[in-house]
Amino acid sequence: MRDFVCHGDILFAREADALEVYESGYLVVQEGRVEGIYPVIPEKFENFPRKDYGRGLIIPAFTDLHIHASQYVQRGIGMDKLLFDWLNDYTFPQEARFQDMSYAKPIYDAVVRDLLLHGTFHASLFTTIHYDASDYLFRALEEKGLYAYVGKVNMDMNSPDYLCESTEESLRQTERFLAEHPGTGTVKPVLTPRFAPTCSEPLMRGLGKLAGKYHCGLQTHLVESRAEKSWTLELFKDYGSDAEIYERNGLLENGPSIFAHFIFPSQADLDIVKRADSTMVHCPDATTNIIAGIMPVERLHGEELPIALGTDVGGGQGMGVYRQISRAVQLSKLKEFYEPEESKTITFPHAFYMATKAGGRVFDHVGSLEKGYRFNALVLDNLEDAGCILTPVERAERFCYTGDERNIVARFIDGKEIHL
Amino acid sequence: MRDFVCHGDILFAREADALEVYESGYLVVQEGRVEGIYPVIPEKFENFPRKDYGRGLIIPAFTDLHIHASQYVQRGIGMDKLLFDWLNDYTFPQEARFQDMSYAKPIYDAVVRDLLLHGTFHASLFTTIHYDASDYLFRALEEKGLYAYVGKVNMDMNSPDYLCESTEESLRQTERFLAEHPGTGTVKPVLTPRFAPTCSEPLMRGLGKLAGKYHCGLQTHLVESRAEKSWTLELFKDYGSDAEIYERNGLLENGPSIFAHFIFPSQADLDIVKRADSTMVHCPDATTNIIAGIMPVERLHGEELPIALGTDVGGGQGMGVYRQISRAVQLSKLKEFYEPEESKTITFPHAFYMATKAGGRVFDHVGSLEKGYRFNALVLDNLEDAGCILTPVERAERFCYTGDERNIVARFIDGKEIHL
């Protein structure tokens, strides 16, 4: 059933500055896309089947543009460690196990299930360096109709022996991944150099050639912490900024470029990502956990840089990107406290926009309920306490601050209801 | 059944610096208290009934020393507002409705239910200025056997007309509350001047007299923000520090004193609360939401000041104080990032200690599983993903970061199992 009418309280963010709300509205879905929202059902849709959610809240499904699928099993573990201990003690040994498909499969199955459960129907995911497991995740996401980018990770230096490829092998397996996954469905392959310090210049150059040959985009970490930034510029001495590494090697020309964190950009970084129409990903819990700092969201938004949200599981602890909406507001408040000259607090509507339409831009017509958008949507229950009526905006806010997947009572992808 | 043996993985914090763990241990409960923990059941307890939780994790129930019970229905609403807008638009009008018992009862019933659900069996709660509703909450907590302090709030100045008492009425209703609730059971009354700017000096003096007459303690907010601190010292010109207001008026001598926030203490504040053996309450989410700043936990702990955790619902959004354990670690990392000279990060064991034994000190033998402590305890499920074995410490950490009440599979108060 891809033609029908949904009734409920409808809420989405067309822009960052306000939420659009239609209380007791009728949303017409035609061929799996939003046809329109009406106060009463127009005559020509009167014979469409109807779903009445009463005071349920109909919102766009969420977009999470930074997930390490392979770190799913690390959620909430070793979180009081410092970054390099966390990587060496937990992350790298754990990622190495994805060589073994009997280890990888149940974990990637759980990732796909949790994306559906938490209403994240659009995502960009890192796997590991391993081809077979990456292939498995790609197909598992596609089978469920999720919209996603999946990248086999590249690492050819500054990595533990057991998790380091040769440059040639890294490029060969990446090309194989691109060739075998042309991305004609809802899931597309994306180049995924882990971050500059683990990728040699020849590897970057090779990836740039593959980007052109296979017309694909890029996801990676960029100026995530002061330490990472200065390390990168030591390793790439001929480059004037971190972003330049990707630009000069031809990685920004053939698809969306998705940069996680982007906390300490130089002006050159900013100029490059704007030219490339890149999308930045703010991951509030993760940048707190690794003591990276806080992204200057308000300032970058003022410069018209697109900013999405990400969970960064397992650097971030939870799979529901809706929680990062509340955390983005919270971190903007802390940033205002500590750096008042740098920042203003962001509003709940702004953060909601980041996790829906702003991140959705790297896909096609997802993340909003405007006319023509795919009906990738969630219905929330009313989230109210006895005797206390909440407005639609209050219900959306409460969901992001304290709700969880139990509050999601219906899920749609391309107008098709998903039953878990 | 108050004599029995529990088997499982047992974990608690005797001190802040480490967790004590007994894998596959047998915890003997005798007359509702912990008799001991053994690798095999000692002969003399062999005929005790047994509960086998397998790899379930047996931990102390949690302690939340700062809850505004009346703000329960505000959880996760208006969180992007600034403090005074939040108070004037949401909190004060909402608190005024507690005059109406048909409004108050279902809310306080929900508070009690949620405390049980989330494993918070020891709590200190603010109500509102209203006697009847405060009385209702007191009795509802007692009926469930919860350990709690409950305070009718005092406000006789700088408050909206509809939520302001005369000094005389405030003292009269407070005395009535103390007289009618002698606190011979698990719930005790506590003096609750909202915070210094809403309480006149004559009111403070009167409360001090009641403290002596009824032998009761104090809960309030102290040096919560720079703005509050300077406003207080403007209003109380004869006082050299905020804490002195409570000390000189005789409010610190007759029971535990519980001070929420304590972010900007002067040396005089510090000296006073140490003399009074007060307990400080760190409320990470709330102090973020109201842009107050971050408590210098590590420094205060180094000065041997007892620090508990609190949710500060509704300034904080969620009822599970276990989540504040993870948030305390996270905020300590942000504090280290912004104020490295002031702070060190705290560990997960340290934060766990705060939400169990450290807060439990204002009650009698709760918050630990040492011999002689009340068996106020929770059993958690194993919190593991397919194929990934976690240590007991990792399971506890994951629960605090990403778990929720669904992971609590058994609850005990005074050795009696609670069925919800």
Side-chain angles (χ1 to χ4, degrees), chain B residues 94-115:
Chain B
Q94 203 273 119
E95 285 198 11
R97 299 186 64 186
F98 281 76
Q99 176 66 33
D100 172 4
M101 287 301 287
S102 71
Y103 179 79
K105 280 182 183 181
I107 294 172
Y108 283 161
D109 286 343
V111 169
V112 173
R113 183 202 62 213
D114 264 19
L115 290 173

Side-chain angles (χ1 to χ4, degrees), chain B residues 77-126:
Chain B
I77 296 176
M79 296 272 95
D80 59 356
K81 301 279 180 296
L82 294 180
L83 178 60
F84 283 92
D85 295 332
W86 182 79
L87 284 171
N88 290 314
D89 296 352
Y90 287 85
T91 307
F92 290 148
Q94 203 273 119
E95 285 198 11
R97 299 186 64 186
F98 281 76
Q99 176 66 33
D100 172 4
M101 287 301 287
S102 71
Y103 179 79
K105 280 182 183 181
I107 294 172
Y108 283 161
D109 286 343
V111 169
V112 173
R113 183 202 62 213
D114 264 19
L115 290 173
L116 290 166
L117 202 58
H118 289 281
T120 302
F121 298 164
H122 327 115
S124 194
L125 304 106
F126 286 49

Side-chain angles (χ1 to χ4, degrees), chain A residues 79-80 289 333 338-339 348, chain B residues 79 289 333 338-339 348:
Chain A
M79 297 270 95
D80 59 357
N289 292 336
K333 289 183 161 192
Y338 281 110
E339 305 176 67
F348 168 68
Chain B
M79 296 272 95
N289 293 336
K333 289 183 161 192
Y338 282 110
E339 305 176 66
F348 168 68

Side-chain angles (χ1 to χ4, degrees), chain B residues 12 63-64 66-67 92-93 107 136 191 198 225 248 263 271 280 301 317 325 345 354 397 402:
Chain B
F12 60 91
T63 303
D64 181 347
H66 190 53
I67 307 174
F92 290 148
I107 294 172
Y136 183 83
L191 295 169
T198 64
S225 69
R248 261 173 55 191
I263 300 179
D271 293 342
M280 308 295 124
H301 178 71
Q317 65 266 30
I325 294 174
T345 59
M354 292 163 74
E397 187 184 8
T402 73

